[in-house]
Amino acid sequence: MMTQKITIEPVTRIEGHAKVTIHMNDDGSVERAVLHINEFRGFEKFCEGRLYFEMPSITPRICGICPVSHHLAAAKAADELIGAPAPRPAVMLRELMHMGQIIQSHGMHFFELAGPDLLLGFDTNPAQRNVLGLAGANPALALKAVNLRKFGQEIIRILGGRRIHPNFAVPGGVNKTLLLAERDLILTGIQPAIEAVQTGLGIMKDWAERNAADINRFAVFPSGYMSLVTPDNGLELYDGAVRLVGASGLELEKFPASSYLDYIAERVENWSYLKFPYYKKMGWPAGVYRVGPLGRLNAVDHLSTPLANAEHIIFRSLNGGLPVENTLYYHYARLIEILFAIERVQALCEDGNILSSDILNTRKDYRGEGVGVLEAPRGTLFHHYKADENGRLTNVNLIVATGHNNWAMTKAVDSVAKTYITGPVVQEGMLNRVEAAVRAHDPCLSCSTHAVGQMPVQIDVISASGELLQTLRRD
Ligand code: MG
Ligand code: NI
């Protein structure tokens, strides 16, 4: 059959570079759609030969979007590499910083990146369908969103000394205590932050009610789901075992981060620089799974904080207690996690141990190998280092959140393209839905490809004979 090709490059309102190619049939239907991740800088190779203790300050350079996640995962890997577990107060302070990152990253995604689609509509003129258009339409909401993000950033700044590329976690602990006045300042931000998320939840639920038909046909498919969990399978973002549940919600596996290579394999495809992780025992493609907010809230049984747990109960009822398969519910899950992170900030700050000066373990039991894992905003992040007896790194392996979701993003793009696109002339709003399928996962392509930056969008519609039929361009 003759096919046409539509290319969306790069996808907008995500972090980094990506390209979508849509292959059309002659009858105007979509044959298949593929997500390509373009750039690759080889950060893992670049780190070889460096000293393990440099990693908490080197790896945040991978990404201007989620430096804190790399900073903390690197410190955790280094703790293990030198056999110096961080004392409890240091663990609490690291988690506090991590919650700051979750709040600011998720807050930005919901209100600024996804918000324009949700509040203004997928089909709104793209000149208005952005954060400025949103601020114009609802200035009060925009202000709440800005303040929510600022709350998260302030936590990072207080602990890390600056808002980006923090200098805080070191092998064996952290290098700064939390002062009483700083703790009290953080606590004053709790209530307004909770109110901002509740406004977001109101928006989400109202939107879901009005767009139920879309939600139920927009990239809905089964997969496995992955998250770190507490010993009783509650949500855990900083520490804990890795839990993998299957499409039916039953536990497939629970394992310590250090043995991740026994459970996760990575597939290479020649059309993408980003590998495709999957659950080894089930093989490819049966063993594919999702991470990030939707993956986590499907992989855990409960949340330890009251407001977020109440929302999680509602979330899990959406599919009668079975995992929620709808890609657009990533947005709902993301809001629930902001609520969880704010409540964790409060719980951590109300625990007197957070002010302790016992923040660094100086005793070592050098092992030369360490795995650090945490739940970055976008999903499970692994840092795995091997070093020689002088502490020089001989091997570095990273599996980033967006990598775990590589299959899911491609699947979502294909599904949405087939559901919504009919040719030969494709409406902009339909292509925006394809982008939204990627955007829902909040991919950090800076991390996945280790390349920073954004380019304008170009969408080419190409006929089977190679003739350019249609070009859409956004700068
Ligand atoms: Mg890797
Ligand atoms: Ni990143």
Side-chain angles (χ1 to χ4, degrees), residues 89-106:
V91 170
M92 292 170 66
L93 288 165
R94 288 179 182 180
E95 185 187 346
L96 182 61
M97 176 180 260
H98 188 40
M99 294 305 101
Q101 163 92 340
I102 296 278
I103 293 163
Q104 78 91 17
S105 176
H106 277 7

Side-chain angles (χ1 to χ4, degrees), residues 123-199:
D123 299 300
T124 306
N125 177 354
Q128 272 105 54
R129 201 182 56 219
N130 53 43
V131 67
L132 290 178
L134 196 58
N138 194 338
L141 177 68
L143 185 65
K144 274 188 191 178
V146 166
N147 286 333
L148 177 65
R149 191 175 174 195
K150 206 182 274 172
F151 176 61
Q153 284 174 328
E154 273 301 287
I155 294 171
I156 297 167
R157 188 194 58 77
I158 286 169
L159 296 170
R162 43 191 168 178
R163 285 187 295 186
I164 320 176
H165 301 317
N167 167 23
F168 180 57
V170 292
V174 298
N175 62 13
K176 179 186 171 300
T177 56
L178 181 66
L179 303 175
L180 181 67
E182 294 170 333
R183 195 273 310 264
D184 291 347
L185 181 66
I186 293 171
L187 283 172
T188 62
I190 298 283
Q191 211 42 49
I194 287 177
E195 281 162 25
V197 184
Q198 279 167 340
T199 301

Side-chain angles (χ1 to χ4, degrees), residues 40 44 260 266 275 382 396-400 450:
F40 184 67
E44 291 155 320
Y260 77 106
E266 295 182 279
K275 293 179 202 167
F382 290 92
V396 172
N397 187 33
L398 311 178
I399 303 182
V400 298
H450 313 146

Side-chain angles (χ1 to χ4, degrees), residues 11-304:
V11 176
T12 50
R13 282 184 280 139
I14 58 173
E15 313 289 356
H17 295 191
K19 180 172 92 168
V20 175
T21 308
I22 305 169
H23 299 266
M24 304 284 290
N25 293 314
D26 259 0
D27 65 2
S29 65
V30 170
E31 197 234 334
R32 71 193 165 94
V34 176
L35 174 71
H36 312 265
I37 310 288
N38 284 334
E39 288 206 25
F40 184 67
R41 213 170 67 189
F43 207 89
E44 291 155 320
K45 273 276 168 238
F46 164 79
C47 290
E48 286 175 14
R50 307 300 296 248
L51 296 162
Y52 73 82
F53 56 78
E54 295 180 286
M55 294 301 270
S57 37
I58 292 174
T59 57
R61 312 284 160 176
I62 293 171
C63 182
I65 309 303
C66 33
V68 172
S69 305
H70 290 292
H71 178 64
L72 297 175
K76 289 186 72 178
D79 293 347
E80 199 175 285
L81 191 144
I82 59 168
R88 174 79 194 135
V91 170
M92 292 170 66
L93 288 165
R94 288 179 182 180
E95 185 187 346
L96 182 61
M97 176 180 260
H98 188 40
M99 294 305 101
Q101 163 92 340
I102 296 278
I103 293 163
Q104 78 91 17
S105 176
H106 277 7
M108 180 178 91
H109 187 271
F110 183 79
F111 290 102
E112 296 177 30
L113 303 180
D117 290 333
L118 268 51
L119 287 156
L120 306 175
F122 286 114
D123 299 300
T124 306
N125 177 354
Q128 272 105 54
R129 201 182 56 219
N130 53 43
V131 67
L132 290 178
L134 196 58
N138 194 338
L141 177 68
L143 185 65
K144 274 188 191 178
V146 166
N147 286 333
L148 177 65
R149 191 175 174 195
K150 206 182 274 172
F151 176 61
Q153 284 174 328
E154 273 301 287
I155 294 171
I156 297 167
R157 188 194 58 77
I158 286 169
L159 296 170
R162 43 191 168 178
R163 285 187 295 186
I164 320 176
H165 301 317
N167 167 23
F168 180 57
V170 292
V174 298
N175 62 13
K176 179 186 171 300
T177 56
L178 181 66
L179 303 175
L180 181 67
E182 294 170 333
R183 195 273 310 264
D184 291 347
L185 181 66
I186 293 171
L187 283 172
T188 62
I190 298 283
Q191 211 42 49
I194 287 177
E195 281 162 25
V197 184
Q198 279 167 340
T199 301
L201 283 163
I203 290 167
M204 177 71 213
K205 288 176 180 175
D206 176 59
W207 182 80
E209 213 174 281
R210 288 184 288 106
N211 294 277
D214 260 332
I215 290 173
N216 291 324
R217 65 184 192 132
F218 186 105
V220 183
F221 50 83
S223 71
Y225 305 95
M226 178 184 281
S227 180
L228 293 181
V229 290
T230 60
D232 63 347
N233 297 326
L235 180 65
E236 169 66 58
L237 298 176
Y238 175 76
D239 221 337
V242 181
R243 189 186 202 204
L244 190 59
V245 305
S248 64
L250 295 177
E251 181 174 302
L252 296 171
E253 212 71 71
K254 191 149 81 173
F255 56 90
S258 55
S259 61
Y260 77 106
L261 287 174
D262 295 338
Y263 301 97
I264 299 170
E266 295 182 279
R267 183 179 174 83
V268 175
E269 297 280 4
N270 63 10
W271 44 266
S272 179
Y273 275 117
L274 186 55
K275 293 179 202 167
F276 293 78
Y278 61 95
Y279 173 43
K280 244 181 182 175
K281 286 187 192 168
M282 282 173 71
W284 175 267
V288 294
Y289 56 84
R290 287 185 265 186
V291 300
L294 185 93
R296 287 188 284 252
L297 295 199
N298 280 329
V300 305
D301 293 344
H302 62 94
L303 275 59
S304 64

